[in-house]
Amino acid sequence: MSPTDQTKTEERRAEAKREKEKVRKKQLRGEGIGWNGKTLREQLAELEDKTEATDHYGGLTKLTLKDEDPIRYEQLYARLRGDLVTARETSKEVSATPIVEQEGELCYGLFTPEGDSIAVSTGIIVHIHTMSEAIKFMINHNYEENPGINPGDIFINNDPHVGDVHPCDLMTLIPVFHDGELVAWAGGVNHVIDTGAIGPGSMNVSQASRFGDGAYYTARKIGENFELYNSWKKEYPAKTRTPNFLKLDERTRITGCLMIRDSVNEIIDSVGVDTFKQLSREAVEDGRRSFRNRIKRTMLPGTYRGASFVDALYEGQENITREYANENHIMHAPSELHIREDGTFQVSFEGANKWGWHPYNCTPAAIQGGVWVMLTQTVIPNELVNDGAYYACDFHLPVGSWANTQNTETAHAYAWHFLVSAWAPLWQHLSRGYYSRGFWEEINAGNANTSNWLQGGGIDQFDKLHAVNSFEAACEGIGARYVEDGEPHASAVWNPEGDMGDAEAWERVEPLPFLGRAVKPNTGGAGRRAGGAGFESMRTVKDVSRWLLYEMGNGYMTSDSGLFGGYPAASGYILNARNTDLKERFENGEDYPQHDLDPESGEFESKIEGEITRRPEGISTPKEFDDYDLYLNYLRGGSGLGDPLERDPKDVLSDIHDGYILPRHAEDAYGVVVEKINGKAKHNSSVQGEWTIDENATAKCRQEIQNKRAQKAQPVSEWYDEERERIQDEDLIDDVKKTYVSSMRMSTQFAKFFRSFWDLSEDFEFELSEKAQRSLNNRFDTGLRPMWDNYTLRHKTWLDIGDEPYVPYTWTNRSIQDLSGSQSTFGDSRSMTDDD
């Protein structure tokens, strides 16, 4: 530590000591650390009561500070947000892992004493609201009394049941005091490389319960006077395979939080604590109003419906930690977006099926955080992003489902596996609303399912225990927009500023040299506007022992369906090779695999000898790899929009030359016939030669495709009858039947809807195999084991109320056509401004 840093640290500790003395005197008088002597629980209860009674955050029916001096208000808010971004950009240089330093898997938030975000940094802002939940957990569980919340304290959490997406996202929370009062919280989250799970890497996939997820730290105090406890400094590194990386990540988060704390103190010194308090409350209410006005401006009221599915195939896999987990799952997300006439909306997953013995389960904090980050990229893509949007929404997350397990035995290490897929229909709900109101530029078919994830670990090239987690997945293809193609290998839904990272940076921390890295053709969905392509990296293993690697992603199923006639993105697959002759090929100067750009070509297999695995599944449990073995890291593309036959043939030709599609795929998907005119020119890694369009053949081909469509087309009524017959005859695989039985057991509303839709008898049920029935009974009989003892009012829509949860329109005949009048939208919106 430099002399300057040492002096700053000593000043902070001296300041904390003075503040603690003020807090102690207040406590001796029987006062709390909240405003005006209230306890934090009293302050939170009062805030929620006022919000509930007035439908305005904290009862703020007027934005006094903003209305009386709007320029000053904007200046102060911009200063807060700017300081948060500065804290992120500065502190991430402390980290040693490319996950943070290269990919930017880091974010910060400033929160009210009650835990509502005021302003956020850039980065993985999915975790802003998860930190809100952790703060509220501490308030509702009397942390003010025990273990105490004092100036200079440091807290940590990675428990998804408290406030997180999955355990590898560690959050640091530091309270900010002024004159004995808690005025704010500073919080930061980053994705760490290993949490000590049963398998190496941050998101192991072979465990059946949370007891294999790795270390859980449940809203724990780990330091005071801005100094970590010795017990923590010994415990934390001992629970991971990568202690030095985690130590630096922790310093990263603490550094950023302290920078934010200093910024708040400087603002208070400049404008006074009362102005800061007013700003923090008004900013949240301003965010709520802005969000609601944006909904009124861009959407139509009503109910938007969709569904997504993801396969999690474990039957026959090795290294499963529990015998009862040796089964296949299909995760089901029937989503509804209820846009109400007042501009509020509810996201409902009524009908979601039961949680499973796998690490893809979610919690309300994860779902809410995920929807929140999606909204920041769609409805509110501006700087005024905070928990105001959260207060304009509510969520129905059925208790006991994969979305809200309320069972602390469930595993959550890779909640993203289905979480990203569950959001996919929500992008399209919003896009259909945008289309209805004419906001075509805002339409997006949805982002890619962010996988594969190269993960693993063992003894590395330095003879040290190590783990890897390649965050190339931060750079996937983007779904097509209505007015233009999706961006190729650009970002991830959970990190809109993602980066694939430099190969050299990854090779510094992973004993997995790159043999090749290239755009992956045919991965973006076909359409009038094409989805952005993904990419791939071919990696080998060098100088390791007992090294494990595994894959994780959807395989047979693709959850990223196209929009308005567009095609979905490509599904996943696994490709690796073990016990290879790669070393000999290197020594003899022979060809070796650098890519798998055309999986049907056989090129990969022609350039390597060994035990080659090529499978359509997307998940594998950890397998041992040795030197010169090969692993393909395949990152996905985005979905398409519009009829592919309407795509300009010139754009298809450009796609060929840019490596986004293979020449034969141009004819299959787009009806564009091309021919090679120069075999020597090379535009990219996947396509050799210069190509041109055969216009006459293209016109003929497209007409033939349209004719075939007409011949194959059938009335919906005929399709309906055929599918209904299949259901009645139970002509479905057991995994599909198990999925629907699970959803119907979870929700009487969904069961009634399903039977009504398919015109089935009221007592219709699928007959399951003995194994499938035992699996469901096993999980349904497990019951609830909730973490929260006390809930806030805002949690009411993801808890059961009476016999049925409060869901205003779920599974009724209401649709987006059922408006209150033929010209109805949201009534008078003349008071809106362009900024809204």
Side-chain angles (χ1 to χ4, degrees), residues 81-93 106 108 121 252-253 255-261 263:
R81 187 173 188 277
D83 288 345
L84 285 160
V85 174
T86 299
R88 175 178 181 266
E89 295 304 310
T90 302
S91 66
K92 75 179 185 180
E93 301 302 324
L106 172 71
Y108 290 100
S121 74
T252 296
R253 299 191 303 273
T255 297
C257 287
L258 292 178
M259 291 178 67
I260 296 167
R261 175 188 172 277
S263 172

Side-chain angles (χ1 to χ4, degrees), residues 222 227-238 247 250:
I222 60 171
E227 185 174 3
L228 297 172
Y229 295 143
N230 281 335
S231 57
W232 173 252
K233 288 190 285 187
K234 295 297 292 182
E235 173 193 5
Y236 181 47
K247 287 178 185 177
E250 185 169 65

Side-chain angles (χ1 to χ4, degrees), residues 353-474:
N353 58 337
K354 190 70 173 174
W355 58 260
W357 300 115
H358 52 66
Y360 313 125
N361 303 295
C362 296
T363 61
I367 292 286
Q368 291 168 336
V371 172
W372 196 88
V373 74
M374 185 204 73
L375 295 175
T376 64
Q377 298 175 60
T378 51
V379 180
I380 45 175
N382 52 44
E383 292 186 353
L384 186 57
V385 175
N386 56 34
D387 265 339
Y390 168 68
Y391 278 91
C393 313
D394 55 71
F395 301 82
H396 172 57
L397 309 174
V399 173
S401 71
W402 61 263
N404 183 13
T405 69
Q406 288 298 318
N407 188 313
T408 53
E409 185 180 358
T410 50
H412 301 270
Y414 187 30
W416 286 111
H417 177 61
F418 191 41
L419 190 56
V420 173
S421 299
W423 298 339
L426 298 178
W427 288 92
Q428 301 192 355
H429 298 337
L430 293 169
S431 290
R432 292 185 177 100
Y434 296 152
Y435 183 84
S436 301
R437 294 296 300 274
F439 290 93
W440 293 359
E441 297 87 350
E442 306 298 327
I443 294 170
N444 186 328
N447 282 2
N449 186 301
T450 45
S451 50
N452 192 3
W453 290 87
L454 183 159
Q455 290 199 99
I459 306 300
D460 67 9
Q461 68 269 41
F462 304 110
D463 294 326
K464 291 183 178 180
L465 183 62
H466 190 43
V468 300
N469 182 190
S470 172
F471 252 78
E472 293 183 298

Side-chain angles (χ1 to χ4, degrees), residues 308-319:
S308 59
F309 299 85
V310 156
D311 52 320
L313 308 180
Y314 279 91
E315 190 171 304
Q317 292 260 22
E318 301 174 12
N319 301 321

Side-chain angles (χ1 to χ4, degrees), residues 821-834:
S822 60
Q823 302 298 320
S824 177
T825 56
F826 289 95
D828 186 5
S829 59
R830 288 173 294 179
S831 61
M832 299 181 197
T833 67
D834 290 339

Side-chain angles (χ1 to χ4, degrees), residues 160-444:
H161 287 273
V162 168
D164 213 331
V165 174
H166 46 173
C168 52
D169 293 314
L170 266 68
M171 65 176 67
T172 296
L173 298 164
I174 291 179
V176 182
F177 282 79
H178 175 81
D179 201 22
E181 283 186 340
L182 180 67
V183 294
W185 293 83
V189 176
N190 80 283
H191 188 115
V192 301
I193 202 167
D194 184 87
T195 56
I198 195 168
S202 62
M203 297 176 284
N204 188 63
V205 299
S206 56
Q207 67 272 30
S209 71
R210 75 172 288 172
F211 308 114
D213 271 355
Y216 274 68
Y217 307 109
T218 303
R220 183 188 299 189
K221 183 192 284 193
I222 60 171
E224 54 187 76
N225 298 324
F226 301 119
E227 185 174 3
L228 297 172
Y229 295 143
N230 281 335
S231 57
W232 173 252
K233 288 190 285 187
K234 295 297 292 182
E235 173 193 5
Y236 181 47
K239 290 185 175 180
T240 174
R241 299 168 179 86
T242 55
N244 291 333
F245 286 106
L246 265 67
K247 287 178 185 177
L248 287 172
D249 282 345
E250 185 169 65
R251 291 182 184 180
T252 296
R253 299 191 303 273
I254 292 175
T255 297
C257 287
L258 292 178
M259 291 178 67
I260 296 167
R261 175 188 172 277
D262 291 346
S263 172
V264 170
N265 286 333
E266 289 170 4
I267 290 176
I268 289 175
D269 290 342
S270 173
V271 302
V273 69
D274 290 337
T275 299
F276 175 79
K277 290 179 179 179
Q278 186 72 11
L279 173 68
S280 62
R281 289 287 179 90
E282 286 196 15
V284 180
E285 170 61 11
D286 194 16
R288 188 196 66 81
R289 295 183 186 186
S290 175
F291 179 84
R292 188 173 293 192
N293 286 339
R294 290 275 297 185
I295 290 296
K296 288 182 177 181
R297 183 181 291 275
T298 58
M299 300 292 290
L300 286 175
T303 297
Y304 301 72
R305 286 186 182 143
S308 59
F309 299 85
V310 156
D311 52 320
L313 308 180
Y314 279 91
E315 190 171 304
Q317 292 260 22
E318 301 174 12
N319 301 321
I320 300 295
T321 58
R322 297 289 185 274
E323 179 59 33
Y324 52 75
N326 186 2
E327 63 172 320
N328 293 332
H329 297 270
I330 298 176
M331 300 178 72
H332 178 208
S335 73
E336 292 187 344
L337 175 59
H338 306 298
I339 304 292
R340 304 189 184 100
E341 281 79 354
D342 63 359
T344 60
F345 76 64
Q346 179 187 72
V347 176
S348 172
F349 287 107
E350 182 69 23
N353 58 337
K354 190 70 173 174
W355 58 260
W357 300 115
H358 52 66
Y360 313 125
N361 303 295
C362 296
T363 61
I367 292 286
Q368 291 168 336
V371 172
W372 196 88
V373 74
M374 185 204 73
L375 295 175
T376 64
Q377 298 175 60
T378 51
V379 180
I380 45 175
N382 52 44
E383 292 186 353
L384 186 57
V385 175
N386 56 34
D387 265 339
Y390 168 68
Y391 278 91
C393 313
D394 55 71
F395 301 82
H396 172 57
L397 309 174
V399 173
S401 71
W402 61 263
N404 183 13
T405 69
Q406 288 298 318
N407 188 313
T408 53
E409 185 180 358
T410 50
H412 301 270
Y414 187 30
W416 286 111
H417 177 61
F418 191 41
L419 190 56
V420 173
S421 299
W423 298 339
L426 298 178
W427 288 92
Q428 301 192 355
H429 298 337
L430 293 169
S431 290
R432 292 185 177 100
Y434 296 152
Y435 183 84
S436 301
R437 294 296 300 274
F439 290 93
W440 293 359
E441 297 87 350
E442 306 298 327
I443 294 170
N444 186 328

Side-chain angles (χ1 to χ4, degrees), residues 682-746:
K682 187 170 184 178
H683 286 266
N684 54 69
S685 300
S686 59
V687 179
Q688 181 80 37
E690 186 84 19
W691 299 74
T692 189
I693 300 169
D694 186 330
E695 295 184 359
N696 291 331
T698 295
K700 181 180 178 181
C701 181
R702 286 188 161 184
Q703 185 61 54
E704 289 175 351
I705 292 175
Q706 290 178 334
N707 293 339
K708 288 180 181 179
R709 285 180 178 179
Q711 292 171 5
K712 292 175 63 177
Q714 63 179 149
V716 173
S717 58
E718 291 182 9
W719 170 86
Y720 174 89
D721 290 340
E722 291 174 4
E723 292 300 307
R724 180 174 179 272
E725 185 176 350
R726 286 187 63 201
I727 292 171
Q728 287 183 312
D729 294 344
E730 300 199 37
D731 183 22
L732 306 170
I733 63 173
D734 214 36
D735 294 334
V736 171
K737 291 193 290 184
K738 182 173 65 173
T739 299
Y740 281 111
V741 169
S742 179
S743 289
M744 293 168 77
R745 285 184 64 174
M746 282 292 302

